Amino acid sequence: LSDDAHQSQTIPTRATATMVKFTAIVLALAFGAASAFAPMRTPAALRKSVISNMQEPHGGTLVDLFVDDKEAAIKSCTKTIQLNPRQLCDVELITNGGFSPLTGFMNEEDYLSVVNDVKLASGLLFSLPVVFDTDDESIVVGDKILLKQDDLEIATFTIESKYLAQKPLECLNCYGTSSIEHPGTLMVAMEKGKYYLSGALEGLNKPVRDFPCKTPKEVRAELPDDKDVVAFQCRNPVHRAHYELFTRALDDEKVGQDGVVMVHPTCGPTQADDIDGTVRYKTYEVLKEETANPRVIWNYLPYSMHMAGPREAIHHMMIRKNFGCTHFIIGRDMAGSKSSLDGEDFYGAYEAQEFAESKSAELGVKCVPSLNLVFTEEEGYVTADEAETKGLTKKNLSGTKFRKALRAGEEIPEWFAFKSVVEVLRAPGNGIN
């Protein structure tokens, strides 16, 4: 059981002829052919940051793009753009080093290399494009744009190239499908602009959020220098099985003695039916207090989910590498998605695990498979294989039944969910009742 493992990856071939035609029409309207407007330019120099633990950042250097003279940087801008929530997450992770070695949004060469070959033009492993989209015809090469969150100046963006996105190719290669039944493909097709902009960023201020998001440098300063750090990614509240899963991961043979777990939930935009990030943050905070486990560290990631299955598993591993993690828990169907029409999974249950394992050595992050845990009346949580071998009595509560009981005010068994988490979810205004 894993939080981001409720869907998974095999390239779907389920669409009917009618759906295929409909999808083709929508994509034809939404997408354009690729074409560069300006040549590439060499990225700005990287800044070396102090590395506080033994994990090397991706590409060798932890990027830090924040400038000292904010006023001068702001005055040098010629245009202003208000960032949407997805763009805000991307800008934050570029400027603070979460997307190291990137120092700005990808140019067309890097974009196509990532889409086609899962690597930057330099040959460095990189699994999903990081691009800035727009429909604004007035933006031209040479513009220096002030990126804002409402009234707060977040970053400057010097436009180095402007090109048309190859959206059908991007969707097929990154999401494994061109069907708009997939939320990631729908986002690329219908939400993103037709142009992608590349260029260097300068960081001005961290975004204001209801949940604190430490930079990679800040997180590394708090991690142990000489112990393995196992990252656990989630995008939903943590229940009992999740907690058992990531604490037992410390017993895996790949993890050294006295290793720690860093629970690193994504609190940015995600699937439409997921619980709001601010509410999720509240559940994590009460659980942190309730469990008070010295071997569990809690931090929060300003990241917009793609639901890209295997490709996104690598993306998450790379980000956590930049935050100082040495290991990463890969769950069943991690970052997977279901069809919005028939509910079928887009990815196979173990595709993310297999793809991550195949790239583990190259990335420099060890994969820790998640245990398939079940609750039994006799022995509590054990692996499904152990329950089967011993003939133990398994108990189950589906997500649908849990949500129904939650809304109805019915008792939730404590073997399934932490009482403190349930109380947060039931609180007025949290979108559950």
Side-chain angles (χ1 to χ4, degrees), residues 2 39-40 46 50 56 93 99 121 133 142 158 212 338 343 349 370 376 396 416:
S2 170
M40 285 190 310
L46 301 176
V50 176
E56 181 180 79
L93 288 174
F99 280 153
D133 64 290
T158 302
K338 295 180 183 294
S370 63
T376 65
N396 180 55
F416 181 86

Side-chain angles (χ1 to χ4, degrees), residues 145-165:
I145 300 175
L146 181 62
L147 304 177
K148 299 183 71 175
Q149 178 195 28
D150 299 323
D151 293 329
L152 181 64
E153 296 90 356
I154 299 297
T156 70
F157 181 19
T158 302
I159 308 303
E160 297 176 2
S161 70
K162 181 178 183 179
Y163 55 97
L164 285 166

Side-chain angles (χ1 to χ4, degrees), residues 183-249:
T185 296
L186 182 65
M187 178 267 292
V188 172
M190 309 304 288
E191 295 178 22
K192 281 191 174 183
K194 64 180 178 180
Y195 297 115
Y196 287 167
L197 305 174
S198 78
L201 296 181
E202 294 175 309
L204 301 174
N205 294 291
K206 292 170 64 175
V208 174
R209 303 182 185 279
D210 291 328
F211 45 89
C213 294
K214 295 177 184 176
T215 69
K217 184 177 178 180
E218 291 169 338
V219 169
R220 282 172 173 268
E222 298 174 355
L223 295 179
D225 291 336
D226 56 351
K227 295 181 177 64
D228 288 337
V229 181
V230 183
F232 179 71
Q233 146 70 21
C234 56
R235 67 174 211 279
N236 283 312
V238 170
H239 295 311
R240 290 279 182 181
H242 302 124
Y243 187 81
E244 292 291 332
L245 185 156
F246 64 68
T247 52
R248 294 188 189 199

Side-chain angles (χ1 to χ4, degrees), residues 129-182:
V130 179
V131 292
F132 192 96
D133 64 290
T134 185
D135 285 318
D136 192 336
E137 300 284 352
S138 71
I139 296 176
V140 297
V141 172
D143 282 343
K144 189 169 185 180
I145 300 175
L146 181 62
L147 304 177
K148 299 183 71 175
Q149 178 195 28
D150 299 323
D151 293 329
L152 181 64
E153 296 90 356
I154 299 297
T156 70
F157 181 19
T158 302
I159 308 303
E160 297 176 2
S161 70
K162 181 178 183 179
Y163 55 97
L164 285 166
Q166 292 199 23
K167 292 187 176 183
L169 180 68
E170 179 182 341
C171 290
L172 187 61
N173 286 2
C174 295
Y175 300 100
T177 178
S178 59
S179 170
I180 58 172
E181 298 172 51
H182 189 293

Side-chain angles (χ1 to χ4, degrees), residues 306-357:
H306 293 256
M307 312 313 298
R311 285 256 196 160
E312 191 153 25
I314 299 297
H315 208 51
H316 281 299
M317 289 172 68
M318 178 202 74
I319 294 169
R320 279 21 180 258
K321 176 184 180 182
N322 286 327
F323 276 85
C325 298
T326 56
H327 296 63
F328 189 84
I329 299 172
I330 299 286
R332 290 180 70 256
D333 193 22
M334 182 176 181
S337 180
K338 295 180 183 294
S339 165
S340 59
L341 291 184
D342 57 22
E344 289 294 314
D345 291 326
F346 276 104
Y347 310 116
Y350 299 101
E351 280 192 62
Q353 289 184 359
E354 292 167 0
F355 190 54
E357 193 62 57

Side-chain angles (χ1 to χ4, degrees), residues 241-306:
H242 302 124
Y243 187 81
E244 292 291 332
L245 185 156
F246 64 68
T247 52
R248 294 188 189 199
L250 294 174
D251 298 326
D252 191 277
E253 61 183 6
K254 295 181 181 179
V255 181
Q257 186 176 4
D258 298 325
V260 298
V261 169
M262 185 172 85
V263 183
H264 205 202
T266 56
C267 292
T270 182
Q271 290 194 121
D273 58 349
D274 282 347
I275 294 172
D276 178 74
T278 302
V279 176
R280 283 182 277 130
Y281 162 66
K282 294 176 183 177
T283 68
Y284 303 138
E285 286 295 290
V286 296
L287 183 56
K288 179 172 68 174
E289 292 182 13
E290 180 176 343
T291 54
N293 189 332
R295 295 184 69 187
V296 179
I297 299 166
W298 297 78
N299 280 301
Y300 305 103
L301 184 70
Y303 176 83
S304 176
M305 289 293 298
H306 293 256

Side-chain angles (χ1 to χ4, degrees), residues 418-432:
F418 290 92
K419 185 176 180 180
S420 59
V421 171
V422 171
E423 288 175 352
V424 169
L425 293 175
R426 279 181 169 160
N430 283 348
I432 300 300

